Amino acid sequence: MVVIALLKKVVVGILVVYLSITNTLAGHIESFFAPVTEEEVVVEAETPPATDMLVEVAHTAGTLAGAVPKVLLEHAEYQRAAVLASTQDEDMPTSIGDVPLEKAIEDALVNIYCQYKTDEYIRTTTGTGFFINQKGVILTNAHVAQFLLLKEAKGVTDDIECVIRSGNPATPKYVAELLYISPTWVFENSEVIVEESPRGTGERDYALLYIAKSTDNSPLPAHFPALPIDVALLSRATEGLEVFTAGYPAEELMRRGAEAELHPVLAPTQVGTLYTFGSNYADLFSISESPVGEHGASGGPIVNVWNQSAIGLIVTKGDATTEGETSLRALTLSYLDRTIQEETGFSLAQNMQGDIAYRGLIFNKAMAPFLSEILMDELQGE
């Protein structure tokens, strides 16, 4: 298995290098953006899971994984589309207005139900997401959105669709397409697509979807009910902060199947411990126990009660022993903003500007040729 994993990563590495050397625009683009000065916040380190992989394989994989973000930075067409879009309105809300906070959260909340059908089986996943842009951009987890990459796999004719459901109970409303998924996450976590209950640290586990059409072909809303986001660094003072967490817990769906009703759950809770993935900033934080802490809540928001903005994205359950059975962990949106800049050269807000359908098309053109093959290798190797 070690040899197979190494060969796969070497092949992918060749593709990464090929795509990188064919585009050189990124260096010129980066000179237009001044570096951001950030206040250092030293927090507790998150211990990665143990592995018995050979040192040589781990070193090779790490080297190739480090090259993955450079593909978009050096992809001329992707960078050209991003620069053009960066001069346009970002269409992001700055406040919830006169709407009560709980209603604003519920209005922005969605359930994401994805299916991958073949002649032999049907594989499904369900998760939560929330609108962060009034044009219909949804923030969710990479492990929820990864099925959309399979649309771009070579020779795939299977039925792949992600339906966006909302309301109480959740009902199908829209069809979503992929705007962005962290290439590094896919590269390092491709095995998650065949796991029934994926676990991990949550590092780079995020994706952006956009609404392509309604399920009944009716006109799309002029504006979607989006939550404001706060990408400022979190300090130690955040620990104990009063927040709301929300999601579409799906234990009932797991028991009864796709026909089970899902209901949005909102709950007041508190920020627990801050963690880092080695950046010395608060990249991840724990959330105390709440009714939201079930399977299916991944991709939901953590909303600061005081400034009424989303500050986190639920990625995993917390440690049952130290934090409780229904505790959660969430990526900080400052971490998401920082790492998406590393991979694209542009901030989270800038990645949602301009013609999002066109930008999604260019992203898939740039990244899907090999990301989709990585996932197909996992599915076919079961």
Side-chain angles (χ1 to χ4, degrees):
M1 289 300 294
V2 170
V3 174
I4 293 174
L6 175 59
L7 289 174
K8 184 174 73 172
K9 293 183 184 297
V10 169
V11 171
V12 172
I14 293 171
L15 288 170
V16 170
V17 172
Y18 169 76
L19 288 173
S20 296
I21 64 178
T22 57
N23 298 280
T24 59
L25 186 63
H28 303 289
I29 299 299
E30 289 181 304
S31 65
F32 289 106
F33 299 93
V36 178
T37 302
E38 296 177 315
E39 177 186 357
E40 184 175 14
V41 180
V42 180
V43 294
E44 182 177 345
E46 172 76 346
T47 303
T51 177
D52 58 1
M53 184 175 286
L54 295 177
V55 173
E56 291 83 358
V57 177
H59 175 73
T60 302
T63 301
L64 297 179
V68 171
K70 297 180 182 178
V71 174
L72 292 177
L73 287 171
E74 299 177 2
H75 192 280
E77 194 172 4
Y78 184 88
Q79 290 291 318
R80 189 179 302 115
V83 170
L84 176 64
S86 68
T87 64
Q88 301 177 25
D89 293 337
E90 54 193 55
D91 206 20
M92 292 179 64
T94 57
S95 74
I96 62 172
D98 297 329
V99 180
L101 179 57
E102 293 183 52
K103 178 171 173 49
I105 296 171
E106 186 169 335
D107 287 348
L109 200 67
V110 298
N111 168 248
I112 303 167
Y113 187 79
C114 296
Q115 281 194 336
Y116 170 49
K117 297 179 182 179
T118 72
D119 293 336
E120 291 79 29
Y121 60 82
I122 298 176
R123 187 176 294 278
T124 64
T125 184
T126 183
T128 302
F130 58 104
F131 288 111
I132 58 172
N133 179 292
Q134 292 175 335
K135 289 185 292 189
V137 176
I138 295 169
L139 177 60
T140 188
N141 295 144
H143 74 257
V144 174
Q146 63 183 326
F147 281 83
L148 285 170
L149 276 172
L150 298 179
K151 286 187 173 183
E152 308 300 326
K154 185 178 179 180
V156 169
T157 58
D158 303 315
D159 185 12
I160 303 164
E161 187 175 60
C162 281
V163 175
I164 304 302
R165 309 194 293 189
S166 63
N168 189 5
T171 56
K173 296 288 180 65
Y174 310 109
V175 175
E177 297 291 349
L178 187 63
L179 175 60
Y180 181 84
I181 189 170
S182 170
T184 306
W185 184 89
V186 177
F187 186 89
E188 296 179 345
N189 298 275
S190 58
E191 72 283 354
V192 168
I193 200 167
V194 296
E195 295 178 358
E196 291 186 8
S197 300
R199 298 282 293 178
T201 64
E203 190 168 4
R204 298 196 189 233
D205 189 359
Y206 57 83
L208 298 173
L209 308 181
Y210 70 91
I211 300 302
K213 62 180 181 179
S214 60
T215 53
D216 61 1
N217 292 318
S218 61
L220 294 177
H223 298 285
F224 288 86
L227 284 176
I229 60 173
D230 183 356
V231 298
L233 290 170
L234 300 188
S235 69
R236 282 289 191 188
T238 308
E239 294 181 345
L241 181 71
E242 184 180 353
V243 293
F244 265 111
T245 183
Y248 276 94
E251 296 295 338
E252 186 70 11
L253 184 143
M254 301 300 292
R255 289 192 295 267
R256 297 177 50 199
E259 299 305 315
E261 287 189 349
L262 294 187
H263 300 270
V265 178
L266 280 70
T269 183
Q270 290 182 322
V271 173
T273 305
L274 304 183
Y275 299 94
T276 182
F277 293 126
S279 67
N280 285 333
Y281 301 120
D283 300 326
L284 185 82
F285 60 93
S286 63
I287 293 295
S288 58
E289 290 191 284
S290 80
V292 180
E294 294 182 4
H295 175 84
S298 293
I302 306 297
V303 180
N304 184 339
V305 171
W306 305 109
N307 70 8
Q308 301 187 328
S309 297
I311 60 171
L313 171 73
I314 299 171
V315 282
T316 67
K317 297 196 72 171
D319 183 273
T321 302
T322 61
E323 298 165 346
E325 288 286 346
T326 59
S327 61
L328 296 166
R329 290 187 178 178
L331 294 178
T332 65
L333 294 195
S334 62
Y335 165 80
L336 199 155
D337 187 58
R338 186 170 65 252
T339 54
I340 203 170
Q341 287 193 59
E342 291 174 6
E343 295 191 344
T344 69
F346 300 90
S347 69
L348 175 59
Q350 289 171 323
N351 270 281
M352 295 182 286
Q353 293 174 336
D355 185 337
I356 54 176
Y358 175 69
R359 297 189 68 173
L361 177 68
I362 298 302
F363 173 82
N364 281 287
K365 181 178 178 180
M367 300 304 301
F370 63 93
L371 292 184
S372 59
E373 292 304 315
I374 296 174
L375 298 181
M376 287 303 299
D377 285 346
E378 294 288 348
L379 288 168
Q380 295 170 354
E382 286 187 276

